[in-house]
Amino acid sequence: MNAPPASTPPRKLRVATVSLAGCFGCHMSLLDIDERLFELIERVEFDRSPLTDIKTVGDCDVGLIEGGLCNAENVEVLRAFRAHCKVLVAVGACAITGGLPALRNHLDVGDILQSVYGRVPDDPELPLPLNRVLPIHEVVRIDHALPGCPPPADAFWQLLQDLMAGRTPVPAPGLIRYD
């Protein structure tokens, strides 16, 4: 008697992450899912991420992006990232609203550079600053948003559970606060 054919394990969801103009706190919050990382690794494959140290992004099912846009390089990275991700999630206040970096938006960029450097730098290696910090939805389409500064680990976990199950993520009440 022949044994039944072994079932093919379900395909892992391919996930990538990137940080733009922010503090990296959202990535730290993702890592705060602690031992649930082991369960996550069984169900997802990480592409570009600090967990893999991969610097470029391949085609992915889900892209998690934190940080706003403060310079031309951020815009370039965001557009390339969006092009490779089926689903893009804006993570945290900086990605959704510009966050703390956007506090400079009421100031003149030239005046800021003059105050900080004593002159406006003209090094071609420095990315060109934008006139104001932008949330990512002003440049590319986003599919979902996970608010918070940073979003709590449990909110990340729920977002990933929903995406892995094919459900539309709904952030928990209370993630958006004005305090």
Side-chain angles (χ1 to χ4, degrees):
M1 185 163 126
N2 292 338
S7 64
T8 305
R11 184 181 79 79
K12 288 185 172 186
L13 201 63
R14 193 164 176 82
V15 176
T17 70
V18 73
S19 182
L20 300 173
C23 69
F24 216 73
C26 294
H27 274 86
M28 296 307 295
S29 189
L30 171 62
L31 293 175
D32 281 345
I33 66 173
D34 298 328
E35 68 277 351
R36 294 176 287 187
L37 277 171
F38 296 114
E39 182 180 337
L40 186 61
I41 295 297
E42 294 295 320
R43 300 180 59 201
V44 304
E45 176 184 352
F46 280 98
D47 191 81
R48 178 182 177 155
S49 166
L51 296 173
T52 61
D53 201 31
I54 296 172
K55 304 296 187 219
T56 58
V57 64
D59 290 333
C60 292
D61 298 303
V62 176
L64 305 172
I65 190 157
E66 74 166 300
L69 305 163
C70 73
N71 61 46
E73 182 181 65
N74 291 156
V75 173
E76 183 181 315
V77 168
L78 173 63
R79 285 187 172 139
F81 196 72
R82 170 76 264 191
H84 286 89
C85 298
K86 291 178 188 171
V87 173
L88 186 65
V89 181
V91 177
C94 294
I96 296 169
T97 66
L100 287 175
L103 290 176
R104 78 153 164 93
N105 284 353
H106 69 285
L107 303 171
D108 179 79
V109 174
D111 290 345
I112 294 170
L113 294 172
Q114 184 70 36
S115 294
V116 171
Y117 296 104
R119 63 182 180 83
V120 175
D122 61 355
D123 187 329
E125 293 293 315
L126 295 175
L128 182 66
L130 301 177
N131 287 331
R132 65 186 205 48
V133 176
L134 304 171
I136 66 172
H137 73 271
E138 289 191 21
V139 174
V140 300
R141 178 184 54 82
I142 63 167
D143 300 295
H144 305 289
L146 182 61
C149 184
D154 288 339
F156 254 116
W157 181 249
Q158 187 58 54
L159 170 91
L160 293 168
Q161 292 299 306
D162 288 342
L163 291 172
M164 288 185 289
R167 296 186 300 261
T168 300
V170 179
L175 285 180
I176 299 176
R177 298 188 308 268
Y178 303 96
D179 56 352

